[in-house]
Amino acid sequence: VKTRFGFHVVRIEHRVAGDTVPFDAVEAEIAQYLEARVRHKATQQYVSILASQAQVEGVDLGAANGPLVQ
């Protein structure tokens, strides 16, 4: 398996087959998950903006950057 840290060898000892779930049954759960991810990302970007505007001495907080940061 290739990850951002390199290649890893994985041994599968037990495999359980999954079931197909109708979209209507999981639509609300998917929407909630996506909303939480968007909220988390927006919070990270907001904190990054605040940190880049702060005047802190002795610590490098990094600058706010990314396509969604305006």
Side-chain angles (χ1 to χ4, degrees):
V1 177
K2 182 179 180 184
T3 69
R4 64 183 177 153
F5 302 108
F7 287 95
H8 305 274
V9 177
V10 178
R11 180 175 66 188
I12 299 173
E13 295 180 355
H14 182 70
R15 182 175 177 169
V16 178
D19 295 324
T20 302
V21 180
F23 179 73
D24 294 339
V26 294
E27 180 179 9
E29 187 177 342
I30 292 170
Q32 182 180 16
Y33 171 78
L34 293 175
E35 181 180 343
R37 297 249 326 174
V38 168
R39 187 177 309 273
H40 178 75
K41 186 66 174 175
T43 302
Q44 282 182 320
Q45 291 175 344
Y46 179 66
V47 170
S48 181
I49 289 170
L50 292 177
S52 70
Q53 294 172 351
Q55 294 184 8
V56 179
E57 295 180 9
V59 177
D60 180 19
L61 299 175
N65 58 10
L68 301 177
V69 178
Q70 298 180 3

